[in-house]
């Protein structure tokens, strides 16, 4: 790849997916690369990605989210009334921002246990994108109750712009 963890990987195993979950009803075309699910978030009217990234404590309510799985393992689903905000302390200061999304009601995303609140870990300081996943696995193996039980990787799009690969937990 290009070495840029924010750029989609290139490869012959790509397939196109059309995300229809935008708040204004428009379609956003994304490239679902190598079977990685895509999460597309449309912020409320007038809210930009720059505004989302300017203050981690501002909650942007009435966003829409569309989750698609190009493998067809999980159903493509649209969520409305989604709240998104920044999260983290040190990690919020990095270029690739982590987020918290809150659904209007608990739901199972990509086969994980149902929850209302979901975290999108940016993993910006880990080019391998494996450190948190391995730590979660070890934590679960030794019985740490605070370790997330499951996570999945998704390609995140905000207002149609590719933001990067994130770990959804």
């Amino acid at each position: 790849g290009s070495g840029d963890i924010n750029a989609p990987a290139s490869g012959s195993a790509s397939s196109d997916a059309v995300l229809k979950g935008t708040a204004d009803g428009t379609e956003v075309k994304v490239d679902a690369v190598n079977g990685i699910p895509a999460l597309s978030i449309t912020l409320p009217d007038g809210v930009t990605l720059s505004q989302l990234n300017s203050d981690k404590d501002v909650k942007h309510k009435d966003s829409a989210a569309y989750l698609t799985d190009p493998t067809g393992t999980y159903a493509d689903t649209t969520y409305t009334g989604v709240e998104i905000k920044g999260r983290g302390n040190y990690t919020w200061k990095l270029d690739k921002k982590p987020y918290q999304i809150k659904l209007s009601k608990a739901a199972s995303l990509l086969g994980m246990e149902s929850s209302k609140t979901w975290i999108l870990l940016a993993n910006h300081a880990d080019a391998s994108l494996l450190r948190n996943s391995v730590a979660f696995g070890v934590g679960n193996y030794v019985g740490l109750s605070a370790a997330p039980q499951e996570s999945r990787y998704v390609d995140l799009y905000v207002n149609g712009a590719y933001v990067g690969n994130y770990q959804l937990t």
Side-chain angles (χ1 to χ4, degrees):
S2 65
D4 179 359
I5 62 172
N6 290 318
S10 61
S12 60
S14 67
S15 64
D16 288 334
V18 176
L19 304 185
K20 301 176 184 175
T22 60
D24 65 0
T26 60
E27 293 184 353
V28 177
K29 189 153 179 94
V30 301
D31 188 24
V33 178
N34 298 324
I36 297 172
L39 175 61
S40 177
I41 296 177
T42 302
L43 299 171
D45 286 343
V47 179
T48 66
L49 179 59
S50 294
Q51 289 170 318
L52 172 64
N53 289 340
S54 67
D55 186 342
K56 74 172 185 164
D57 295 317
V58 174
K59 297 176 182 176
H60 298 280
K61 299 180 180 183
D62 297 323
S63 296
Y66 184 75
L67 185 59
T68 185
D69 177 15
T71 69
T73 303
Y74 306 104
D76 295 352
T77 309
T78 300
Y79 303 92
T80 57
V82 174
E83 174 185 291
I84 184 170
K85 71 180 201 79
R87 75 171 301 274
N89 291 311
Y90 168 75
T91 56
W92 182 253
K93 297 175 185 174
L94 301 175
D95 290 336
K96 187 178 172 190
K97 307 294 186 197
Y99 304 105
Q100 173 185 294
I101 59 173
K102 191 173 284 189
L103 306 176
S104 57
K105 63 181 180 177
S108 171
L109 302 185
L110 301 173
M112 292 184 282
E113 187 175 327
S114 186
S115 182
K116 189 174 179 176
T117 302
W118 294 88
I119 303 301
L120 288 159
L121 297 173
N123 291 322
H124 181 73
D126 177 18
S128 74
L129 304 178
L130 293 173
R131 190 174 7 196
N132 279 324
S133 186
V134 169
F136 295 165
V138 170
N140 287 317
Y141 181 76
V142 299
L144 293 177
S145 61
Q149 298 297 307
E150 298 178 286
S151 66
R152 304 279 188 275
Y153 291 98
V154 297
D155 283 333
L156 179 64
Y157 297 81
V158 176
N159 287 352
Y162 180 73
V163 181
N165 183 270
Y166 280 72
Q167 189 172 3
L168 177 68
T169 188

